[in-house]
Amino acid sequence: MIAKDDIVIRKAILHILDTNRGECILSNTLLDPGPDLHDFIRNHIYKIVSSDDTKNCEFNPEASPIYSILETWDESDDASFIETSQAIANKLYIAMGEGLDIPAADLLFVTFQAEGTIYLALLKMNYKESYTHEITASDSEGTNLNSNDSNIPVINTGIVKSRALLPSATSRIPEAVIINLSDYHIKLLEKRYEINGEKAYYLSENFLICHTNIPPKKKLNILTRVINNISNKYDGADLKTKMDTKSALQKEYVDRKSFDVEEIGNKLFGKSPEKKSEFDEKMEQYDLQYDNFTVTNENTVKKLEKQFMVTDSGIEISIPMETYNKLANFEVQTDVTGKSTIIIRNIDNLVLK
């Protein structure tokens, strides 16, 4: 993963793609950012490259106009950089105009270097609405009681709504493209919007024209949902077996630092042909049956670190996986009627929160 301190901003230009007003204003000069703006851009780039919501994509070279543009540009030449940025910004503006609910935005067109590789970042800075102050001054013919000067202007202050504020440095923008300029591999953050009555990913389908993969975070959500559904279906009231299954999944990640879907299916359901068959079938529906994926952000796997249960009476129980795995301190008993009893031992202190 690219470290934040390794990101060096090379060039940047800002274009205004205000579809709300029907304005596509293309700059013809590079930004001259100081340290604060460099940090602002660097923070946004890092949030994208370190996110497990990003899709890994590849251009369709024969169909993508963006690919054709990038093939002929010279990033080191300022004139070529500006002309290329204008051409790409104009195509994005056209793609945005196809959906009424696609947010208007400013496009930060940036190249940066990390670990010897040059990347292009298309940061779509969707506008936010908020309030700010407004100051107006007018001439006065009246007399100011605290001054002999009767021509001191009247200062009016007010609060107005601004509809074109940019995202803050601490937020993660929801739409962005990072392109490795050495191999044209794409990392993409995108959202679906309604176009011609149907929801579509306009960035990948209409603008970039690229093939997309499921992002790691969604792959993990699919994997855990399939495992939970199978466990709930076949294990019924056997709470211990269901919890052991989740524990085994978490152990696989701790041992491998990745998710090998085929190996996980064998480990969790290999002794039950019925469960294994259903697992393989479900994962095949998502074309993940032979997938081996990793996550970039440790927060993505946080949900594997706890056993979380809700009883039929609404009681919520959250148990760290480390505690669960220490069988001497934790036990689940299920009687013949299917009712479960949870026993937690060796509690030195109990705090009410």
Side-chain angles (χ1 to χ4, degrees), residues 161-206:
K161 179 180 283 189
S162 174
R163 292 180 168 84
L165 295 178
L166 300 184
S168 68
T170 57
S171 64
R172 192 195 73 187
I173 59 177
E175 298 181 272
V177 182
I178 306 288
I179 302 173
N180 183 325
L181 293 179
S182 64
D183 60 10
Y184 295 106
H185 176 76
I186 304 167
K187 280 191 169 294
L188 173 65
L189 273 175
E190 64 175 345
K191 295 183 68 176
R192 291 201 306 167
Y193 294 97
E194 187 172 310
I195 297 176
N196 297 325
E198 295 184 359
K199 290 281 188 177
Y201 287 110
Y202 77 98
L203 283 179
S204 59
E205 297 172 12
N206 301 349

Side-chain angles (χ1 to χ4, degrees), residues 129-142:
E129 284 191 3
S130 191
Y131 291 88
T132 186
H133 67 253
E134 180 183 56
I135 302 173
T136 58
S138 60
D139 293 333
S140 172
E141 296 180 358

Side-chain angles (χ1 to χ4, degrees), residues 59-69 186 207-210:
F59 278 113
N60 181 344
E62 297 175 355
S64 172
I66 306 303
Y67 180 86
S68 299
I69 293 172
I186 304 167
F207 170 61
L208 295 170
I209 317 295
C210 62

Side-chain angles (χ1 to χ4, degrees), residues 99-294:
L100 293 177
D101 59 343
I102 296 175
D106 286 355
L107 174 66
L108 257 175
F109 186 100
V110 182
T111 51
F112 68 95
Q113 189 165 330
E115 299 175 345
T117 301
I118 299 175
Y119 298 83
L120 168 64
L122 306 178
L123 306 180
K124 185 168 178 281
M125 316 297 282
N126 293 343
Y127 296 154
K128 298 185 345 180
E129 284 191 3
S130 191
Y131 291 88
T132 186
H133 67 253
E134 180 183 56
I135 302 173
T136 58
S138 60
D139 293 333
S140 172
E141 296 180 358
T143 302
N144 189 308
L145 296 179
N146 298 318
S147 171
N148 294 325
D149 187 352
S150 62
N151 295 318
I152 292 177
V154 174
I155 305 298
N156 296 307
T157 60
I159 297 176
V160 295
K161 179 180 283 189
S162 174
R163 292 180 168 84
L165 295 178
L166 300 184
S168 68
T170 57
S171 64
R172 192 195 73 187
I173 59 177
E175 298 181 272
V177 182
I178 306 288
I179 302 173
N180 183 325
L181 293 179
S182 64
D183 60 10
Y184 295 106
H185 176 76
I186 304 167
K187 280 191 169 294
L188 173 65
L189 273 175
E190 64 175 345
K191 295 183 68 176
R192 291 201 306 167
Y193 294 97
E194 187 172 310
I195 297 176
N196 297 325
E198 295 184 359
K199 290 281 188 177
Y201 287 110
Y202 77 98
L203 283 179
S204 59
E205 297 172 12
N206 301 349
F207 170 61
L208 295 170
I209 317 295
C210 62
H211 306 291
T212 65
N213 291 329
I214 301 173
K217 187 174 181 179
K218 189 170 182 179
K219 287 182 181 181
L220 181 57
N221 288 339
I222 291 170
L223 178 62
T224 54
R225 185 172 69 247
V226 168
I227 291 171
N228 289 340
N229 288 344
I230 291 174
S231 188
N232 287 328
K233 177 180 177 179
Y234 290 97
D235 298 327
D238 188 352
L239 180 61
K240 180 69 166 60
T241 299
K242 290 190 284 189
M243 295 174 77
D244 284 348
T245 299
K246 183 173 182 178
S247 174
L249 175 61
Q250 191 258 356
K251 187 176 186 302
E252 275 293 298
Y253 173 73
V254 170
D255 292 344
R256 294 174 175 269
K257 293 301 178 185
S258 66
F259 295 94
D260 185 326
V261 174
E262 187 177 24
E263 184 65 21
I264 287 170
N266 290 330
K267 287 281 183 70
L268 271 55
F269 305 123
K271 295 181 180 180
S272 171
E274 196 173 12
K275 290 181 183 178
K276 180 64 165 57
S277 176
E278 183 161 338
F279 175 82
D280 291 342
E281 180 184 336
K282 295 293 186 184
M283 298 312 294
E284 188 175 1
Q285 290 178 3
Y286 296 98
D287 197 24
L288 294 176
Q289 68 273 32
Y290 302 117
D291 203 61
N292 189 336
F293 65 95
T294 60

